mmCIF file of all heavy atoms in Angstrom:
data_model
loop_
_atom_site.group_PDB
_atom_site.id
_atom_site.type_symbol
_atom_site.label_atom_id
_atom_site.label_comp_id
_atom_site.label_asym_id
_atom_site.label_seq_id
_atom_site.Cartn_x
_atom_site.Cartn_y
_atom_site.Cartn_z
ATOM 1 N N ALA Q 23 32.099 -6.943 -2.084
ATOM 2 C CA ALA Q 23 31.685 -5.873 -2.917
ATOM 3 C C ALA Q 23 32.770 -5.515 -3.980
ATOM 4 O O ALA Q 23 32.454 -4.912 -4.962
ATOM 5 C CB ALA Q 23 31.373 -4.631 -2.099
ATOM 6 N N GLN Q 24 33.997 -5.968 -3.677
ATOM 7 C CA GLN Q 24 35.000 -5.661 -4.639
ATOM 8 C C GLN Q 24 34.878 -6.545 -5.927
ATOM 9 O O GLN Q 24 35.510 -6.175 -6.971
ATOM 10 C CB GLN Q 24 36.415 -5.859 -4.027
ATOM 11 C CG GLN Q 24 36.650 -4.727 -2.984
ATOM 12 C CD GLN Q 24 37.720 -5.108 -1.978
ATOM 13 O OE1 GLN Q 24 38.439 -6.107 -2.185
ATOM 14 N NE2 GLN Q 24 37.979 -4.347 -0.961
ATOM 15 N N THR Q 25 34.188 -7.646 -5.838
ATOM 16 C CA THR Q 25 34.045 -8.495 -7.007
ATOM 17 C C THR Q 25 32.606 -8.847 -7.298
ATOM 18 O O THR Q 25 32.241 -10.024 -7.183
ATOM 19 C CB THR Q 25 34.916 -9.808 -6.810
ATOM 20 O OG1 THR Q 25 34.448 -10.425 -5.578
ATOM 21 C CG2 THR Q 25 36.373 -9.589 -6.812
ATOM 22 N N PRO Q 26 31.782 -7.888 -7.526
ATOM 23 C CA PRO Q 26 30.371 -8.210 -7.761
ATOM 24 C C PRO Q 26 30.202 -8.996 -9.011
ATOM 25 O O PRO Q 26 30.960 -8.852 -9.991
ATOM 26 C CB PRO Q 26 29.707 -6.831 -7.912
ATOM 27 C CG PRO Q 26 30.757 -5.958 -8.357
ATOM 28 C CD PRO Q 26 32.014 -6.440 -7.732
ATOM 29 N N LYS Q 27 29.225 -9.965 -9.027
ATOM 30 C CA LYS Q 27 28.989 -10.789 -10.205
ATOM 31 C C LYS Q 27 28.030 -10.041 -11.150
ATOM 32 O O LYS Q 27 28.056 -10.240 -12.337
ATOM 33 C CB LYS Q 27 28.299 -12.046 -9.736
ATOM 34 C CG LYS Q 27 29.033 -12.850 -8.708
ATOM 35 C CD LYS Q 27 29.502 -14.127 -9.238
ATOM 36 C CE LYS Q 27 30.574 -14.716 -8.355
ATOM 37 N NZ LYS Q 27 31.300 -13.789 -7.452
ATOM 38 N N VAL Q 28 27.168 -9.150 -10.570
ATOM 39 C CA VAL Q 28 26.272 -8.450 -11.405
ATOM 40 C C VAL Q 28 26.336 -6.928 -10.997
ATOM 41 O O VAL Q 28 26.258 -6.625 -9.828
ATOM 42 C CB VAL Q 28 24.814 -8.974 -11.175
ATOM 43 C CG1 VAL Q 28 23.809 -8.120 -12.017
ATOM 44 C CG2 VAL Q 28 24.694 -10.420 -11.449
ATOM 45 N N ARG Q 29 26.440 -6.079 -11.994
ATOM 46 C CA ARG Q 29 26.470 -4.633 -11.736
ATOM 47 C C ARG Q 29 25.341 -4.058 -12.592
ATOM 48 O O ARG Q 29 25.320 -4.161 -13.819
ATOM 49 C CB ARG Q 29 27.788 -3.987 -12.198
ATOM 50 C CG ARG Q 29 28.935 -4.173 -11.342
ATOM 51 C CD ARG Q 29 30.090 -3.402 -11.954
ATOM 52 N NE ARG Q 29 31.376 -3.798 -11.393
ATOM 53 C CZ ARG Q 29 31.937 -3.198 -10.341
ATOM 54 N NH1 ARG Q 29 31.336 -2.219 -9.715
ATOM 55 N NH2 ARG Q 29 33.121 -3.594 -9.925
ATOM 56 N N TRP Q 30 24.474 -3.284 -11.940
ATOM 57 C CA TRP Q 30 23.434 -2.557 -12.703
ATOM 58 C C TRP Q 30 23.582 -1.069 -12.443
ATOM 59 O O TRP Q 30 23.809 -0.620 -11.340
ATOM 60 C CB TRP Q 30 22.054 -2.996 -12.223
ATOM 61 C CG TRP Q 30 21.522 -4.306 -12.739
ATOM 62 C CD1 TRP Q 30 22.230 -5.165 -13.479
ATOM 63 C CD2 TRP Q 30 20.187 -4.788 -12.615
ATOM 64 N NE1 TRP Q 30 21.409 -6.282 -13.842
ATOM 65 C CE2 TRP Q 30 20.122 -6.038 -13.264
ATOM 66 C CE3 TRP Q 30 19.027 -4.306 -11.969
ATOM 67 C CZ2 TRP Q 30 18.996 -6.780 -13.378
ATOM 68 C CZ3 TRP Q 30 17.887 -5.087 -12.052
ATOM 69 C CH2 TRP Q 30 17.865 -6.321 -12.717
ATOM 70 N N ARG Q 31 23.301 -0.314 -13.506
ATOM 71 C CA ARG Q 31 23.123 1.128 -13.303
ATOM 72 C C ARG Q 31 21.623 1.392 -13.318
ATOM 73 O O ARG Q 31 20.914 0.919 -14.120
ATOM 74 C CB ARG Q 31 23.794 1.940 -14.432
ATOM 75 C CG ARG Q 31 25.370 1.873 -14.355
ATOM 76 C CD ARG Q 31 25.975 2.126 -15.684
ATOM 77 N NE ARG Q 31 25.558 1.044 -16.577
ATOM 78 C CZ ARG Q 31 25.858 0.990 -17.875
ATOM 79 N NH1 ARG Q 31 26.575 1.966 -18.430
ATOM 80 N NH2 ARG Q 31 25.470 -0.051 -18.624
ATOM 81 N N LEU Q 32 21.198 2.181 -12.343
ATOM 82 C CA LEU Q 32 19.771 2.526 -12.185
ATOM 83 C C LEU Q 32 19.606 4.047 -12.425
ATOM 84 O O LEU Q 32 20.067 4.816 -11.584
ATOM 85 C CB LEU Q 32 19.297 2.124 -10.804
ATOM 86 C CG LEU Q 32 17.946 2.696 -10.295
ATOM 87 C CD1 LEU Q 32 16.795 2.294 -11.236
ATOM 88 C CD2 LEU Q 32 17.644 2.136 -8.882
ATOM 89 N N VAL Q 33 19.025 4.449 -13.548
ATOM 90 C CA VAL Q 33 18.939 5.847 -13.886
ATOM 91 C C VAL Q 33 17.527 6.298 -13.521
ATOM 92 O O VAL Q 33 16.518 5.662 -13.914
ATOM 93 C CB VAL Q 33 19.246 6.086 -15.353
ATOM 94 C CG1 VAL Q 33 20.736 5.843 -15.644
ATOM 95 C CG2 VAL Q 33 18.392 5.321 -16.305
ATOM 96 N N SER Q 34 17.478 7.397 -12.809
ATOM 97 C CA SER Q 34 16.141 7.956 -12.433
ATOM 98 C C SER Q 34 15.781 9.125 -13.264
ATOM 99 O O SER Q 34 16.635 9.827 -13.820
ATOM 100 C CB SER Q 34 16.241 8.348 -10.958
ATOM 101 O OG SER Q 34 14.991 8.941 -10.519
ATOM 102 N N SER Q 35 14.459 9.326 -13.355
ATOM 103 C CA SER Q 35 13.957 10.557 -14.057
ATOM 104 C C SER Q 35 13.981 11.731 -13.186
ATOM 105 O O SER Q 35 13.540 12.791 -13.539
ATOM 106 C CB SER Q 35 12.517 10.298 -14.595
ATOM 107 O OG SER Q 35 12.508 9.472 -15.676
ATOM 108 N N PHE Q 36 14.463 11.594 -11.990
ATOM 109 C CA PHE Q 36 14.351 12.653 -10.977
ATOM 110 C C PHE Q 36 15.673 13.116 -10.350
ATOM 111 O O PHE Q 36 16.663 12.288 -10.208
ATOM 112 C CB PHE Q 36 13.393 12.194 -9.861
ATOM 113 C CG PHE Q 36 12.101 11.747 -10.449
ATOM 114 C CD1 PHE Q 36 11.792 10.489 -10.548
ATOM 115 C CD2 PHE Q 36 11.176 12.718 -10.988
ATOM 116 C CE1 PHE Q 36 10.568 10.017 -11.157
ATOM 117 C CE2 PHE Q 36 10.002 12.333 -11.579
ATOM 118 C CZ PHE Q 36 9.694 10.967 -11.658
ATOM 119 N N PRO Q 37 15.784 14.405 -9.948
ATOM 120 C CA PRO Q 37 16.980 14.843 -9.292
ATOM 121 C C PRO Q 37 17.064 14.408 -7.836
ATOM 122 O O PRO Q 37 16.058 14.032 -7.240
ATOM 123 C CB PRO Q 37 16.825 16.384 -9.381
ATOM 124 C CG PRO Q 37 15.296 16.573 -9.368
ATOM 125 C CD PRO Q 37 14.725 15.435 -10.100
ATOM 126 N N LYS Q 38 18.283 14.428 -7.321
ATOM 127 C CA LYS Q 38 18.489 14.053 -5.927
ATOM 128 C C LYS Q 38 17.692 14.899 -4.966
ATOM 129 O O LYS Q 38 17.326 14.447 -3.841
ATOM 130 C CB LYS Q 38 19.978 14.049 -5.596
ATOM 131 C CG LYS Q 38 20.678 12.905 -6.234
ATOM 132 C CD LYS Q 38 22.158 12.869 -5.884
ATOM 133 C CE LYS Q 38 22.852 11.749 -6.702
ATOM 134 N NZ LYS Q 38 24.331 11.709 -6.543
ATOM 135 N N SER Q 39 17.357 16.155 -5.327
ATOM 136 C CA SER Q 39 16.715 17.032 -4.367
ATOM 137 C C SER Q 39 15.317 16.566 -4.099
ATOM 138 O O SER Q 39 14.735 16.898 -3.081
ATOM 139 C CB SER Q 39 16.698 18.481 -5.026
ATOM 140 O OG SER Q 39 15.951 18.478 -6.228
ATOM 141 N N LEU Q 40 14.685 15.797 -5.051
ATOM 142 C CA LEU Q 40 13.373 15.238 -4.815
ATOM 143 C C LEU Q 40 13.521 13.924 -4.050
ATOM 144 O O LEU Q 40 13.456 12.866 -4.697
ATOM 145 C CB LEU Q 40 12.590 15.144 -6.119
ATOM 146 C CG LEU Q 40 12.228 16.507 -6.761
ATOM 147 C CD1 LEU Q 40 11.592 16.249 -8.109
ATOM 148 C CD2 LEU Q 40 11.397 17.349 -5.876
#
Side-chain angles (χ1 to χ4, degrees):
Chain Q
Q24 289 162 10
T25 54
K27 306 245 163 340
V28 178
R29 281 183 199 269
W30 280 10
R31 288 155 299 175
L32 167 55
V33 294
S34 178
S35 285
F36 306 103
K38 287 182 185 171
S39 62
L40 295 175

